[in-house]
Amino acid sequence: MTPGPPGTPAALGLPVPPGSGWPEDPATPATPVAADAAQVRALAAEAEAAGSLGELMARQSVCRACPRLVEWREQVAAAKRASSRTQRYWGRPIPGWGDEHARVLILGLAPAAHGGNRTGRIFTGDRSGDVLFAALHRCGLAALPTSTSAGDGQRLIGARMVAAVRCAPPDNKPSVTERDTCAPWLAAEFTLVAPTVRVIVCLGGFAWQAAWPMLRSAGFAPPRPRPKFGHGSEVTLAAPAGPGGRAAPAGPGGRAAPAGRAEVAGPALGGGPGRGEVLLLGCYHPSQQNTFTGRVTPAMLDAVFGRACQAAGAGGAPPGGK
């Protein structure tokens, strides 16, 4: 990295250079860097074709394809906030994190400016993550009730976290172009972990919308019209018919639904997905605003993640719990 003028991110050693010793950094100085949308597509496809989740994560973590997001994440990392002024910020995209053979996939919007953008791990170091990891620990999907920094000993158990957009966006609002530019990273990651994933929990409406092209890329047939997002909403998608194929999702009682359709139900739907099926669950985002206003509560999160564990055959009592 070439040092810049005093006070700039480059002059402060930001973003963190790949392979420089940051805990859980998947990249090295030799990791290829995507500079535009075409390169994102090419590098994601290459890692997917090689079947290398580790290489895909490394490439995600050094991407520079969206100029506005790159500028913002690095400015935030240089300026910091008062409570973190003595800490070094990650200032890079946040790769997927968790169990490589996950049965539950948790899909969020984007890293927080002073959370993941600071710590280098998704949902780590901010209040949203505090609430989320506490819920995951209660249902046995996380080893610890808190996630404070990369390398803190936290691990996910049968679960994996990904973001629709890998860089912290201004005002937590990525543009449509930024979402679409980042989509190949998400699609490739899902394709690599899809063989074991049974449940996808979408945290918020943005993640719910991002899930449909992700699922389509892996061969699932999104329903038409697409079901609306809601807390506790459920959609069961049938397994793909084969490479590049589409399958008609199963309807009530095991009957085949019309092609391009899926079984849609509210929170009362019981049981889990059948062989090869995926259950999509909606969950209000545990943002600070949502938790402070009571729009989402610990009990509501417990209900969604309890349902996810039951359907996926994952979780259980937290480590050390009764």
Side-chain angles (χ1 to χ4, degrees):
M1 180 182 299
T2 302
T8 64
L12 296 172
L14 295 169
V16 168
S20 60
W22 191 278
E24 301 178 10
D25 184 355
T28 72
T31 300
V33 178
D36 56 37
Q39 291 180 8
V40 170
R41 292 192 296 271
L43 291 177
E46 187 176 77
E48 178 188 331
S52 178
L53 185 60
E55 179 61 21
L56 179 68
M57 293 165 57
R59 295 177 179 194
Q60 292 170 353
S61 76
V62 296
C63 183
R64 301 183 67 84
C66 298
R68 187 181 79 115
L69 297 186
V70 170
E71 180 180 16
W72 173 253
R73 77 188 191 212
E74 294 180 5
Q75 283 182 350
V76 169
K80 307 181 182 181
R81 63 180 177 187
S83 61
S84 305
R85 62 182 177 275
T86 62
Q87 300 177 18
R88 190 179 187 189
Y89 276 53
W90 168 257
R92 281 166 46 193
I94 308 301
W97 181 77
D99 195 331
E100 293 187 2
H101 304 287
R103 297 182 68 81
V104 177
L105 185 69
I106 302 164
L107 176 58
L109 191 165
H114 301 283
N117 190 55
R118 174 173 60 88
T119 64
R121 184 199 287 164
I122 187 171
F123 280 111
T124 295
D126 61 19
R127 290 181 178 176
S128 294
D130 292 344
V131 173
L132 178 59
F133 272 97
L136 295 177
H137 181 68
R138 288 194 296 271
C139 69
L141 292 177
L144 301 173
T146 59
S147 182
T148 57
S149 63
D152 62 359
Q154 178 63 279
R155 62 187 177 89
L156 293 179
I157 305 165
R160 187 172 185 83
M161 290 180 172
V162 294
V165 175
R166 303 302 168 115
C167 294
D171 300 319
N172 291 321
K173 294 180 180 178
S175 70
V176 172
T177 298
E178 290 160 350
R179 177 201 66 190
D180 293 347
T181 297
C182 208
W185 295 132
L186 177 62
E189 186 163 359
F190 179 63
T191 297
L192 290 174
V193 302
T196 60
V197 170
R198 311 295 282 140
V199 177
I200 301 169
V201 179
C202 296
L203 300 177
F206 190 99
W208 182 265
Q209 293 302 321
W212 301 115
M214 176 192 78
L215 286 159
R216 189 187 310 111
S217 72
F220 290 88
R224 297 188 297 269
R226 291 180 182 175
K228 293 182 179 180
F229 170 76
H231 188 82
S233 294
E234 300 192 2
V235 181
T236 300
L237 296 164
R246 297 291 186 269
R255 298 188 300 274
R261 301 290 291 184
E263 181 180 357
V264 182
L269 180 64
R275 182 176 178 84
E277 294 180 341
V278 167
L279 177 65
L280 193 69
L281 292 176
C283 180
Y284 288 152
H285 194 287
S287 66
Q288 185 171 324
Q289 179 180 0
N290 281 349
T291 56
F292 279 9
T293 61
R295 179 174 173 82
V296 64
T297 64
M300 292 169 68
L301 293 174
D302 288 351
V304 169
F305 285 106
R307 170 68 175 125
C309 289
Q310 177 266 331
K322 296 180 180 180

